[in-house]
Amino acid sequence: MPRVLIVGAGIAGLSTAWALARRGYAVEVFEQGPVPNPRASSYDEHRITRHVYGSTGYAELMPHAFALWDRLFADIGARHFDPLPLLVLQRERDAWFASSQASLDSLNVPYRAVQVETLAESYPMLSTEGVSAAFVCEGAGVLFPIRILIDLSVHLASLGVVFHANTKVTAVDLDAGTVSVDGGVRSGDVVVVAAGAWAERLVPALRALATPSRQAVLFLAPPPALADAWRDAPVILDIGAASGTYALPPRPGTRLKIGDHLFTRIGDPDDDRVAIEEDLGQLFDAARLAFRDFDAYRILERKICYYTVTDDERFVVRPLGRAGYIQSACSGHGFKLGPLIGEGVARAIAGETAAGDLAEWAAARPARAA
């Protein structure tokens, strides 16, 4: 039975393990912390998923991603997904806004324009000054990562996947198919590096392609007057140049979360996960423009997470060496597309698709997206 060694137990590593275990592979997963690891970028209360994606090519991948989530939820016996509408706000004219509507048309995902004049009444938490257009669409919602990671790891263990928690991999040999840990060298037929912001330390070639980025998010309690509005709110994307934010409303077991769209491209993933004032200046400025009376919100947590980012915001997923694969997500794409990308890597390892096509497919080049 072929043996695959996976470095990283975030959504990328666990999804790949899931896809390989279903194909009969012997799989071992190495994680430098506990499983799941609270320091991993995958570890979060809730994350957006959506069909809206502009013209990048990822919109065409999203129906397949939703289908893989359905299969994963069936396997783990729990549906950790809350379907919600997505409200998209345009302030300055932006090509992404129009191209997103065009991609929704091509995918037959329903959406409707929202009159700017009615926004304040329908969504009283918004600051509507400067909003030039808006639409609400279906085909979106929030995933619950912590719950998913826990249930998926339990399910994988039941399939025979071997976990090495609190086991730091110090080196990989992508030609020999080995990983080095404190206890020595472990050998497999294939090694998959899915170590998030730490991946470049094991695969130096990744440094020219993707950069670890320190990102701040806020968990908040809205003022009492807006609590009901937020409980009934959609997911919100504001794509304004200065007000650019995303907001996930509080759902059962989660808090209101707000972040921005800018990548810092700085920081060390070994740092702590508490955001300081220097991390939050841009986010506070944007949130004050996006949301009415933002200074009345109570901060519950100032959190740091680390992503890898690329100049074009596309995945870096490809074979390396004679027995290796690198699997590096880009920003928030990583979670919503995790099972689909894991399936793609497993298909390449199993010889079901050409390994040489993996990089272009995972990067969602429009010609290859289907």
Side-chain angles (χ1 to χ4, degrees), residues 253-309:
T254 73
R255 300 165 290 179
L256 168 63
K257 183 174 77 171
I258 292 176
D260 62 32
H261 304 307
L262 297 180
F263 301 126
T264 68
R265 292 182 170 82
I266 60 172
D268 183 331
D270 284 336
D271 289 344
D272 64 32
R273 294 297 185 268
V274 179
I276 59 177
E277 292 302 319
E278 289 83 350
D279 296 312
L280 291 164
Q282 165 62 37
L283 177 52
F284 278 126
D285 289 344
R288 289 181 179 115
L289 294 172
F291 302 104
R292 184 169 61 85
D293 298 329
F294 184 73
D295 289 328
Y297 287 63
R298 296 290 185 179
I299 297 174
L300 303 176
E301 184 180 358
R302 306 168 182 231
K303 182 180 178 180
I304 287 294
C305 54
Y306 275 87
Y307 301 124
T308 53
V309 300

Short mmCIF file of all heavy atoms in Angstrom, two decimals, residues 253-309:
data_model
loop_
_atom_site.label_atom_id
_atom_site.label_comp_id
_atom_site.label_asym_id
_atom_site.label_seq_id
_atom_site.Cartn_x
_atom_site.Cartn_y
_atom_site.Cartn_z
N GLY A 253 -22.50 30.10 18.54
CA GLY A 253 -21.15 29.63 18.83
C GLY A 253 -20.04 30.47 18.26
O GLY A 253 -18.87 30.12 18.40
N THR A 254 -20.37 31.59 17.61
CA THR A 254 -19.34 32.46 17.03
C THR A 254 -19.64 33.92 17.38
O THR A 254 -20.75 34.27 17.76
CB THR A 254 -19.26 32.32 15.50
OG1 THR A 254 -20.40 32.96 14.90
CG2 THR A 254 -19.20 30.87 15.07
N ARG A 255 -18.65 34.75 17.16
CA ARG A 255 -18.76 36.18 17.40
C ARG A 255 -18.75 36.93 16.07
O ARG A 255 -18.37 36.37 15.03
CB ARG A 255 -17.58 36.65 18.27
CG ARG A 255 -17.51 35.99 19.63
CD ARG A 255 -16.16 36.20 20.30
NE ARG A 255 -15.10 35.45 19.65
CZ ARG A 255 -13.82 35.47 20.03
NH1 ARG A 255 -13.45 36.21 21.07
NH2 ARG A 255 -12.92 34.75 19.40
N LEU A 256 -19.14 38.19 16.08
CA LEU A 256 -18.99 39.05 14.93
C LEU A 256 -17.50 39.19 14.62
O LEU A 256 -16.70 39.50 15.50
CB LEU A 256 -19.61 40.41 15.21
CG LEU A 256 -19.30 41.55 14.21
CD1 LEU A 256 -19.83 41.23 12.82
CD2 LEU A 256 -19.87 42.87 14.73
N LYS A 257 -17.12 38.96 13.36
CA LYS A 257 -15.72 39.08 12.95
C LYS A 257 -15.61 40.04 11.78
O LYS A 257 -16.39 39.97 10.83
CB LYS A 257 -15.15 37.72 12.55
CG LYS A 257 -13.66 37.78 12.19
CD LYS A 257 -13.06 36.40 11.93
CE LYS A 257 -13.44 35.87 10.59
NZ LYS A 257 -12.70 34.62 10.26
N ILE A 258 -14.61 40.94 11.85
CA ILE A 258 -14.36 41.90 10.78
C ILE A 258 -12.86 41.90 10.46
O ILE A 258 -12.02 41.90 11.36
CB ILE A 258 -14.82 43.31 11.20
CG1 ILE A 258 -16.34 43.35 11.32
CG2 ILE A 258 -14.34 44.36 10.19
CD1 ILE A 258 -16.90 44.67 11.82
N GLY A 259 -12.56 41.88 9.18
CA GLY A 259 -11.18 41.99 8.72
C GLY A 259 -11.12 42.89 7.51
O GLY A 259 -12.14 43.38 7.02
N ASP A 260 -9.90 43.11 7.00
CA ASP A 260 -9.76 43.93 5.79
C ASP A 260 -9.13 43.11 4.67
O ASP A 260 -8.82 41.92 4.84
CB ASP A 260 -8.97 45.21 6.07
CG ASP A 260 -7.55 44.95 6.53
OD1 ASP A 260 -6.94 43.94 6.11
OD2 ASP A 260 -7.02 45.77 7.31
N HIS A 261 -8.94 43.74 3.52
CA HIS A 261 -8.50 43.03 2.32
C HIS A 261 -7.02 43.24 2.01
O HIS A 261 -6.54 42.79 0.96
CB HIS A 261 -9.32 43.49 1.10
CG HIS A 261 -10.80 43.35 1.25
ND1 HIS A 261 -11.41 42.16 1.61
CD2 HIS A 261 -11.82 44.24 1.11
CE1 HIS A 261 -12.72 42.34 1.66
NE2 HIS A 261 -13.00 43.59 1.37
N LEU A 262 -6.29 43.93 2.86
CA LEU A 262 -4.90 44.27 2.57
C LEU A 262 -3.95 43.25 3.19
O LEU A 262 -4.13 42.84 4.34
CB LEU A 262 -4.56 45.67 3.07
CG LEU A 262 -5.34 46.81 2.43
CD1 LEU A 262 -4.90 48.15 3.03
CD2 LEU A 262 -5.14 46.83 0.91
N PHE A 263 -2.92 42.86 2.44
CA PHE A 263 -1.92 41.92 2.93
C PHE A 263 -0.70 42.69 3.40
O PHE A 263 -0.18 43.56 2.69
CB PHE A 263 -1.51 40.94 1.82
CG PHE A 263 -2.64 40.13 1.27
CD1 PHE A 263 -2.92 40.11 -0.08
CD2 PHE A 263 -3.45 39.39 2.13
CE1 PHE A 263 -3.96 39.36 -0.58
CE2 PHE A 263 -4.51 38.64 1.64
CZ PHE A 263 -4.76 38.63 0.28
N THR A 264 -0.20 42.35 4.58
CA THR A 264 0.97 43.06 5.11
C THR A 264 2.27 42.53 4.51
O THR A 264 3.24 43.27 4.39
CB THR A 264 1.05 42.90 6.63
OG1 THR A 264 1.35 41.54 6.97
CG2 THR A 264 -0.26 43.31 7.29
N ARG A 265 2.31 41.24 4.20
CA ARG A 265 3.52 40.57 3.68
C ARG A 265 4.72 40.73 4.61
O ARG A 265 5.86 40.81 4.18
CB ARG A 265 3.86 41.08 2.28
CG ARG A 265 2.84 40.68 1.22
CD ARG A 265 3.24 41.15 -0.19
NE ARG A 265 2.40 40.59 -1.21
CZ ARG A 265 1.20 41.05 -1.56
NH1 ARG A 265 0.73 42.12 -0.95
NH2 ARG A 265 0.50 40.47 -2.50
N ILE A 266 4.45 40.79 5.90
CA ILE A 266 5.52 40.88 6.88
C ILE A 266 5.21 39.92 8.02
O ILE A 266 4.08 39.43 8.14
CB ILE A 266 5.67 42.31 7.46
CG1 ILE A 266 4.36 42.75 8.15
CG2 ILE A 266 6.08 43.30 6.38
CD1 ILE A 266 4.49 44.05 8.91
N GLY A 267 6.22 39.67 8.87
CA GLY A 267 5.98 38.93 10.09
C GLY A 267 6.56 37.53 10.07
O GLY A 267 6.97 37.00 9.04
N ASP A 268 6.60 36.94 11.24
CA ASP A 268 7.14 35.62 11.48
C ASP A 268 6.03 34.75 12.06
O ASP A 268 5.47 35.08 13.10
CB ASP A 268 8.31 35.72 12.47
CG ASP A 268 9.00 34.39 12.74
OD1 ASP A 268 8.33 33.35 12.64
OD2 ASP A 268 10.20 34.41 13.05
N PRO A 269 5.68 33.64 11.42
CA PRO A 269 4.56 32.84 11.90
C PRO A 269 4.78 32.23 13.29
O PRO A 269 3.83 31.73 13.89
CB PRO A 269 4.40 31.74 10.84
CG PRO A 269 5.72 31.70 10.14
CD PRO A 269 6.24 33.10 10.17
N ASP A 270 6.02 32.29 13.82
CA ASP A 270 6.25 31.83 15.17
C ASP A 270 5.85 32.87 16.22
O ASP A 270 5.84 32.58 17.42
CB ASP A 270 7.73 31.47 15.37
CG ASP A 270 8.09 30.14 14.73
OD1 ASP A 270 7.19 29.31 14.54
OD2 ASP A 270 9.27 29.95 14.38
N ASP A 271 5.55 34.11 15.78
CA ASP A 271 5.14 35.14 16.72
C ASP A 271 3.80 34.78 17.36
O ASP A 271 3.09 33.87 16.90
CB ASP A 271 5.02 36.49 16.02
CG ASP A 271 6.38 37.06 15.62
OD1 ASP A 271 7.40 36.57 16.15
OD2 ASP A 271 6.41 37.97 14.77
N ASP A 272 3.43 35.54 18.39
CA ASP A 272 2.16 35.25 19.05
C ASP A 272 0.98 35.65 18.16
O ASP A 272 1.16 36.15 17.05
CB ASP A 272 2.07 35.93 20.42
CG ASP A 272 2.08 37.45 20.34
OD1 ASP A 272 1.56 38.01 19.36
OD2 ASP A 272 2.60 38.09 21.27
N ARG A 273 -0.21 35.44 18.65
CA ARG A 273 -1.41 35.66 17.83
C ARG A 273 -2.28 36.79 18.39
O ARG A 273 -3.49 36.83 18.16
CB ARG A 273 -2.22 34.36 17.75
CG ARG A 273 -1.51 33.24 16.99
CD ARG A 273 -1.29 33.63 15.54
NE ARG A 273 -0.72 32.57 14.73
CZ ARG A 273 0.58 32.38 14.53
NH1 ARG A 273 1.45 33.20 15.13
NH2 ARG A 273 1.02 31.41 13.77
N VAL A 274 -1.64 37.74 19.07
CA VAL A 274 -2.37 38.89 19.61
C VAL A 274 -2.02 40.13 18.80
O VAL A 274 -0.84 40.50 18.70
CB VAL A 274 -2.02 39.12 21.10
CG1 VAL A 274 -2.78 40.33 21.63
CG2 VAL A 274 -2.34 37.87 21.92
N ALA A 275 -3.02 40.76 18.20
CA ALA A 275 -2.80 41.95 17.39
C ALA A 275 -2.50 43.15 18.29
O ALA A 275 -3.15 43.35 19.31
CB ALA A 275 -4.02 42.24 16.52
N ILE A 276 -1.50 43.95 17.88
CA ILE A 276 -1.15 45.17 18.59
C ILE A 276 -1.63 46.37 17.77
O ILE A 276 -2.15 46.22 16.65
CB ILE A 276 0.36 45.24 18.86
CG1 ILE A 276 1.14 45.19 17.54
CG2 ILE A 276 0.79 44.09 19.78
CD1 ILE A 276 2.65 45.31 17.71
N GLU A 277 -1.45 47.57 18.32
CA GLU A 277 -1.97 48.77 17.66
C GLU A 277 -1.44 48.91 16.24
O GLU A 277 -2.17 49.31 15.32
CB GLU A 277 -1.61 50.01 18.49
CG GLU A 277 -2.32 50.09 19.83
CD GLU A 277 -3.84 50.07 19.70
OE1 GLU A 277 -4.36 50.74 18.79
OE2 GLU A 277 -4.50 49.39 20.50
N GLU A 278 -0.16 48.60 16.04
CA GLU A 278 0.42 48.74 14.70
C GLU A 278 -0.25 47.82 13.69
O GLU A 278 -0.29 48.11 12.49
CB GLU A 278 1.93 48.46 14.74
CG GLU A 278 2.75 49.53 15.42
CD GLU A 278 2.77 49.38 16.95
OE1 GLU A 278 1.99 48.56 17.50
OE2 GLU A 278 3.55 50.09 17.59
N ASP A 279 -0.77 46.68 14.16
CA ASP A 279 -1.46 45.75 13.26
C ASP A 279 -2.84 46.25 12.85
O ASP A 279 -3.34 45.87 11.79
CB ASP A 279 -1.65 44.39 13.95
CG ASP A 279 -0.35 43.69 14.27
OD1 ASP A 279 0.50 43.60 13.38
OD2 ASP A 279 -0.19 43.23 15.42
N LEU A 280 -3.44 47.09 13.69
CA LEU A 280 -4.87 47.35 13.56
C LEU A 280 -5.22 48.70 12.97
O LEU A 280 -6.39 48.96 12.70
CB LEU A 280 -5.52 47.24 14.94
CG LEU A 280 -5.56 45.82 15.51
CD1 LEU A 280 -5.86 45.83 16.99
CD2 LEU A 280 -6.60 44.99 14.77
N GLY A 281 -4.23 49.56 12.74
CA GLY A 281 -4.54 50.91 12.28
C GLY A 281 -5.36 50.93 11.01
O GLY A 281 -6.40 51.61 10.91
N GLN A 282 -4.92 50.19 9.99
CA GLN A 282 -5.63 50.16 8.71
C GLN A 282 -7.04 49.58 8.88
O GLN A 282 -8.01 50.09 8.33
CB GLN A 282 -4.84 49.35 7.69
CG GLN A 282 -5.62 48.93 6.45
CD GLN A 282 -6.12 50.10 5.63
OE1 GLN A 282 -5.43 51.10 5.52
NE2 GLN A 282 -7.30 49.97 5.05
N LEU A 283 -7.16 48.52 9.65
CA LEU A 283 -8.46 47.89 9.84
C LEU A 283 -9.43 48.82 10.55
O LEU A 283 -10.60 48.95 10.15
CB LEU A 283 -8.30 46.58 10.61
CG LEU A 283 -9.60 45.82 10.95
CD1 LEU A 283 -10.46 45.60 9.72
CD2 LEU A 283 -9.26 44.50 11.64
N PHE A 284 -8.98 49.51 11.60
CA PHE A 284 -9.85 50.46 12.28
C PHE A 284 -10.30 51.58 11.33
O PHE A 284 -11.47 51.97 11.31
CB PHE A 284 -9.14 51.08 13.49
CG PHE A 284 -9.17 50.23 14.72
CD1 PHE A 284 -8.01 49.89 15.38
CD2 PHE A 284 -10.38 49.77 15.23
CE1 PHE A 284 -8.03 49.11 16.51
CE2 PHE A 284 -10.42 48.99 16.37
CZ PHE A 284 -9.24 48.66 17.02
N ASP A 285 -9.38 52.10 10.53
CA ASP A 285 -9.73 53.17 9.59
C ASP A 285 -10.78 52.69 8.60
O ASP A 285 -11.76 53.41 8.31
CB ASP A 285 -8.48 53.64 8.84
CG ASP A 285 -7.52 54.41 9.71
OD1 ASP A 285 -7.92 54.86 10.81
OD2 ASP A 285 -6.35 54.58 9.30
N ALA A 286 -10.60 51.49 8.06
CA ALA A 286 -11.55 50.97 7.09
C ALA A 286 -12.90 50.69 7.73
O ALA A 286 -13.96 51.01 7.16
CB ALA A 286 -10.99 49.70 6.45
N ALA A 287 -12.89 50.11 8.94
CA ALA A 287 -14.15 49.77 9.60
C ALA A 287 -14.96 51.00 9.96
O ALA A 287 -16.20 50.98 9.91
CB ALA A 287 -13.87 48.92 10.84
N ARG A 288 -14.29 52.09 10.31
CA ARG A 288 -15.02 53.32 10.64
C ARG A 288 -15.72 53.90 9.41
O ARG A 288 -16.74 54.58 9.54
CB ARG A 288 -14.06 54.34 11.24
CG ARG A 288 -13.60 53.98 12.65
CD ARG A 288 -12.66 55.02 13.23
NE ARG A 288 -12.25 54.65 14.58
CZ ARG A 288 -11.00 54.35 14.93
NH1 ARG A 288 -10.03 54.42 14.02
NH2 ARG A 288 -10.71 54.02 16.17
N LEU A 289 -15.16 53.65 8.23
CA LEU A 289 -15.82 54.08 7.00
C LEU A 289 -16.93 53.12 6.58
O LEU A 289 -17.92 53.53 5.97
CB LEU A 289 -14.79 54.21 5.88
CG LEU A 289 -13.73 55.29 6.04
CD1 LEU A 289 -12.67 55.17 4.95
CD2 LEU A 289 -14.36 56.68 6.01
N ALA A 290 -16.76 51.85 6.89
CA ALA A 290 -17.71 50.84 6.42
C ALA A 290 -18.93 50.70 7.33
O ALA A 290 -20.03 50.39 6.85
CB ALA A 290 -17.00 49.49 6.29
N PHE A 291 -18.75 50.94 8.64
CA PHE A 291 -19.81 50.64 9.60
C PHE A 291 -20.14 51.85 10.46
O PHE A 291 -19.26 52.54 10.95
CB PHE A 291 -19.40 49.46 10.49
CG PHE A 291 -19.09 48.22 9.71
CD1 PHE A 291 -17.77 47.83 9.50
CD2 PHE A 291 -20.10 47.48 9.13
CE1 PHE A 291 -17.47 46.70 8.76
CE2 PHE A 291 -19.82 46.34 8.38
CZ PHE A 291 -18.50 45.96 8.19
N ARG A 292 -21.42 52.09 10.63
CA ARG A 292 -21.90 53.24 11.38
C ARG A 292 -21.56 53.08 12.87
O ARG A 292 -21.70 51.98 13.43
CB ARG A 292 -23.41 53.37 11.18
CG ARG A 292 -24.04 54.58 11.84
CD ARG A 292 -25.48 54.76 11.36
NE ARG A 292 -26.34 53.64 11.67
CZ ARG A 292 -26.97 53.46 12.83
NH1 ARG A 292 -26.81 54.35 13.80
NH2 ARG A 292 -27.75 52.42 13.02
N ASP A 293 -21.11 54.15 13.47
CA ASP A 293 -20.82 54.16 14.91
C ASP A 293 -19.87 53.04 15.33
O ASP A 293 -20.05 52.39 16.37
CB ASP A 293 -22.12 54.06 15.73
CG ASP A 293 -23.05 55.22 15.50
OD1 ASP A 293 -22.55 56.33 15.22
OD2 ASP A 293 -24.28 55.02 15.58
N PHE A 294 -18.84 52.82 14.53
CA PHE A 294 -17.98 51.67 14.79
C PHE A 294 -17.29 51.77 16.15
O PHE A 294 -17.03 50.75 16.79
CB PHE A 294 -16.93 51.52 13.68
CG PHE A 294 -16.07 50.31 13.86
CD1 PHE A 294 -16.57 49.05 13.61
CD2 PHE A 294 -14.75 50.43 14.30
CE1 PHE A 294 -15.80 47.91 13.80
CE2 PHE A 294 -13.96 49.30 14.49
CZ PHE A 294 -14.48 48.05 14.24
N ASP A 295 -16.99 52.96 16.61
CA ASP A 295 -16.30 53.09 17.89
C ASP A 295 -17.17 52.69 19.08
O ASP A 295 -16.67 52.56 20.21
CB ASP A 295 -15.80 54.52 18.08
CG ASP A 295 -14.63 54.84 17.17
OD1 ASP A 295 -13.84 53.91 16.89
OD2 ASP A 295 -14.49 56.00 16.73
N ALA A 296 -18.47 52.45 18.84
CA ALA A 296 -19.34 51.98 19.91
C ALA A 296 -19.29 50.46 20.09
O ALA A 296 -19.85 49.93 21.05
CB ALA A 296 -20.79 52.41 19.63
N TYR A 297 -18.63 49.77 19.16
CA TYR A 297 -18.50 48.32 19.27
C TYR A 297 -17.48 47.96 20.35
O TYR A 297 -16.49 48.67 20.54
CB TYR A 297 -18.04 47.71 17.94
CG TYR A 297 -19.09 47.71 16.86
CD1 TYR A 297 -19.62 48.88 16.34
CD2 TYR A 297 -19.55 46.51 16.33
CE1 TYR A 297 -20.58 48.88 15.35
CE2 TYR A 297 -20.51 46.48 15.32
CZ TYR A 297 -21.02 47.68 14.85
OH TYR A 297 -21.97 47.66 13.86
N ARG A 298 -17.71 46.86 21.06
CA ARG A 298 -16.80 46.39 22.09
C ARG A 298 -15.88 45.33 21.49
O ARG A 298 -16.34 44.37 20.86
CB ARG A 298 -17.57 45.79 23.26
CG ARG A 298 -18.43 46.78 24.01
CD ARG A 298 -17.59 47.78 24.79
NE ARG A 298 -18.42 48.66 25.60
CZ ARG A 298 -17.94 49.61 26.39
NH1 ARG A 298 -16.62 49.80 26.44
NH2 ARG A 298 -18.76 50.36 27.08
N ILE A 299 -14.58 45.52 21.67
CA ILE A 299 -13.62 44.56 21.15
C ILE A 299 -13.52 43.37 22.11
O ILE A 299 -13.25 43.54 23.30
CB ILE A 299 -12.24 45.21 20.96
CG1 ILE A 299 -12.32 46.33 19.93
CG2 ILE A 299 -11.20 44.16 20.56
CD1 ILE A 299 -11.04 47.13 19.79
N LEU A 300 -13.75 42.17 21.58
CA LEU A 300 -13.65 40.94 22.36
C LEU A 300 -12.30 40.26 22.18
O LEU A 300 -11.79 39.62 23.10
CB LEU A 300 -14.77 39.97 21.97
CG LEU A 300 -16.20 40.52 22.13
CD1 LEU A 300 -17.20 39.49 21.63
CD2 LEU A 300 -16.48 40.89 23.58
N GLU A 301 -11.75 40.39 20.99
CA GLU A 301 -10.43 39.81 20.73
C GLU A 301 -9.79 40.52 19.55
O GLU A 301 -10.46 40.81 18.55
CB GLU A 301 -10.53 38.31 20.44
CG GLU A 301 -9.18 37.65 20.25
CD GLU A 301 -9.25 36.15 19.96
OE1 GLU A 301 -10.38 35.61 19.92
OE2 GLU A 301 -8.19 35.54 19.76
N ARG A 302 -8.50 40.79 19.67
CA ARG A 302 -7.68 41.31 18.57
C ARG A 302 -6.76 40.15 18.17
O ARG A 302 -5.83 39.82 18.89
CB ARG A 302 -6.85 42.51 19.02
CG ARG A 302 -7.66 43.63 19.66
CD ARG A 302 -6.74 44.62 20.34
NE ARG A 302 -7.52 45.70 20.99
CZ ARG A 302 -7.28 47.00 20.81
NH1 ARG A 302 -6.28 47.38 20.01
NH2 ARG A 302 -8.01 47.90 21.42
N LYS A 303 -7.02 39.55 17.04
CA LYS A 303 -6.35 38.31 16.69
C LYS A 303 -5.44 38.48 15.48
O LYS A 303 -5.77 39.22 14.54
CB LYS A 303 -7.37 37.21 16.40
CG LYS A 303 -6.74 35.85 16.08
CD LYS A 303 -7.79 34.80 15.80
CE LYS A 303 -7.14 33.47 15.44
NZ LYS A 303 -8.14 32.42 15.14
N ILE A 304 -4.31 37.79 15.51
CA ILE A 304 -3.41 37.69 14.37
C ILE A 304 -3.50 36.29 13.79
O ILE A 304 -3.56 35.29 14.52
CB ILE A 304 -1.95 37.97 14.79
CG1 ILE A 304 -1.77 39.45 15.08
CG2 ILE A 304 -0.96 37.52 13.72
CD1 ILE A 304 -1.93 40.37 13.87
N CYS A 305 -3.53 36.22 12.47
CA CYS A 305 -3.36 34.94 11.79
C CYS A 305 -2.32 35.14 10.69
O CYS A 305 -1.99 36.27 10.33
CB CYS A 305 -4.68 34.42 11.21
SG CYS A 305 -5.52 35.60 10.14
N TYR A 306 -1.79 34.05 10.19
CA TYR A 306 -0.77 34.11 9.14
C TYR A 306 -1.24 33.33 7.93
O TYR A 306 -1.68 32.18 8.04
CB TYR A 306 0.56 33.53 9.64
CG TYR A 306 1.39 34.55 10.36
CD1 TYR A 306 1.23 34.75 11.72
CD2 TYR A 306 2.33 35.33 9.69
CE1 TYR A 306 1.98 35.69 12.41
CE2 TYR A 306 3.08 36.27 10.37
CZ TYR A 306 2.90 36.45 11.72
OH TYR A 306 3.64 37.40 12.38
N TYR A 307 -1.17 33.98 6.76
CA TYR A 307 -1.42 33.32 5.49
C TYR A 307 -0.15 33.40 4.64
O TYR A 307 0.74 34.20 4.91
CB TYR A 307 -2.54 34.03 4.72
CG TYR A 307 -3.88 34.10 5.41
CD1 TYR A 307 -4.49 35.32 5.63
CD2 TYR A 307 -4.53 32.95 5.83
CE1 TYR A 307 -5.73 35.40 6.25
CE2 TYR A 307 -5.76 33.02 6.45
CZ TYR A 307 -6.37 34.25 6.65
OH TYR A 307 -7.58 34.31 7.27
N THR A 308 -0.11 32.59 3.61
CA THR A 308 0.84 32.88 2.54
C THR A 308 0.08 33.61 1.44
O THR A 308 -1.09 33.31 1.18
CB THR A 308 1.46 31.59 1.98
OG1 THR A 308 0.42 30.68 1.60
CG2 THR A 308 2.36 30.93 3.00
N VAL A 309 0.73 34.57 0.84
CA VAL A 309 0.09 35.33 -0.24
C VAL A 309 1.02 35.38 -1.44
O VAL A 309 2.24 35.28 -1.32
CB VAL A 309 -0.27 36.77 0.20
CG1 VAL A 309 -1.23 36.73 1.37
CG2 VAL A 309 0.96 37.57 0.57
#
